[in-house]
Amino acid sequence: DAGVIQSPRHEVTEMGQEVTLRCKPISGHDYLFWYRQTMMRGLELLIYFNNNVPIDDSGMPEDRFSAKMPNASFSTLKIQPSEPRDSAVYFCASSPDRGPGEKLFFGSGTQLSVL
Amino acid sequence: AQKVTQAQTEISVVEKEDVTLDCVYETRDTTYYLFWYKQPPSGELVFLIRRNSFDEQNEISGRYSWNFQKSTSSFNFTITASQVVDSAVYFCALNYRGNTGKLIFGQGTTLQVKP
């Protein structure tokens, strides 16, 4: 089975532009997570979905960030307008169950650079 | 407060040496889960092991072993006879009951294994 698929792998954009990151979770996984990795803050959860419904978006830094999951096989994370401080690696992960002991399956990440 | 501390930022060893990566956690919950993830140079996060708070048995998987000690709130990871392919960033993470998906990650330890 294919793992979590993210696109693009790398994105370079200029400040003020809209950025859209994409994720395809593992088929059959009911939970989808967006994480961000930076040197300063490490790995932090931005938002997660259960059965396509956003459950907790308390980690979304500000209104410039939005995430959607229109169906079970696709999710987007959008930043509009982007700023240099948004430069980071963004990971999507999925999980088959909600238990806190459930392991997460991560994608390869999107390296975002905002100039 | 829930927290994971990986005090070793970087470790460098020569191939075939044994190396231990330290992880200390803080939590008030009696039911919690500890994880180790590996992030190789390719960037994706790979699950290595999961332990729940009621299972203090140490585990060995090939060259990898984990030592869980509740008395010292530690969950250390040892690689025996290290290999160049073990070079990666290793993350220890914590989750607890009622905290779906919000893995609390340590800052990571970068392991470099030299030939």
Side-chain angles (χ1 to χ4, degrees):
Chain A
D1 283 340
V4 176
I5 300 172
Q6 291 187 246
S7 64
R9 286 298 307 275
H10 302 276
E11 177 79 37
V12 180
T13 190
E14 293 187 349
M15 183 174 62
Q17 296 298 306
E18 177 180 293
V19 175
T20 299
L21 311 181
R22 296 173 176 80
C23 174
K24 176 179 169 55
I26 293 173
S27 177
H29 283 193
D30 292 336
Y31 287 82
L32 183 140
F33 307 85
W34 282 100
Y35 277 83
R36 179 171 68 175
Q37 184 180 30
T38 61
M39 290 294 293
M40 290 296 294
R41 300 174 65 89
L43 279 155
E44 53 182 347
L45 178 69
L46 300 178
I47 185 172
Y48 82 90
F49 295 82
N50 175 215
N51 291 324
N52 315 336
V53 176
I55 303 300
D56 186 344
D57 64 355
S58 58
M60 296 285 261
E62 47 197 277
D63 291 346
R64 298 185 296 105
F65 285 69
S66 63
K68 293 182 180 179
M69 192 164 185
N71 57 62
S73 58
F74 184 65
S75 177
T76 60
L77 178 67
K78 187 177 292 187
I79 308 172
Q80 166 64 20
S82 57
E83 296 182 3
R85 59 192 168 122
D86 302 329
S87 298
V89 180
Y90 291 81
F91 287 101
C92 177
S94 70
S95 171
D97 198 0
R98 73 174 302 274
E102 195 63 48
K103 69 181 182 182
L104 301 186
F105 295 78
F106 284 84
S108 297
T110 295
Q111 172 80 58
L112 173 64
S113 297
V114 183
L115 306 178
Chain B
Q2 324 281 351
K3 186 180 178 182
V4 174
T5 302
Q6 294 179 255
Q8 304 151 308
T9 305
E10 293 183 19
I11 301 176
S12 181
V13 299
V14 176
E15 208 169 19
K16 298 184 182 176
E17 284 185 24
D18 298 346
V19 58
T20 296
L21 309 182
D22 297 333
C23 173
V24 174
Y25 63 92
E26 295 176 32
T27 180
R28 293 178 183 164
D29 288 74
T30 56
T31 302
Y32 54 90
Y33 300 82
L34 296 164
F35 302 79
W36 276 94
Y37 282 84
K38 174 183 180 180
Q39 187 176 34
S42 52
E44 77 279 15
L45 282 149
V46 178
F47 167 84
L48 293 177
I49 191 173
R50 165 186 52 210
R51 260 286 172 268
N52 72 57
S53 53
F54 300 107
D55 182 4
E56 287 193 72
Q57 269 193 325
N58 293 328
E59 181 155 338
I60 298 174
S61 176
R63 296 184 297 106
Y64 295 172
S65 62
W66 291 268
N67 180 249
F68 177 28
Q69 291 194 340
K70 288 177 74 170
S71 60
T72 56
S73 297
S74 65
F75 186 43
N76 297 338
F77 173 29
T78 297
I79 302 175
T80 302
S82 59
Q83 300 176 1
V84 173
V85 293
D86 296 325
S87 297
V89 182
Y90 291 86
F91 290 94
C92 182
L94 166 72
N95 206 350
Y96 51 94
R97 188 176 49 188
N99 194 50
T100 297
K102 287 186 177 180
L103 284 175
I104 299 162
F105 284 91
Q107 287 297 90
T109 297
T110 299
L111 173 65
Q112 183 181 32
V113 181
K114 299 177 180 178

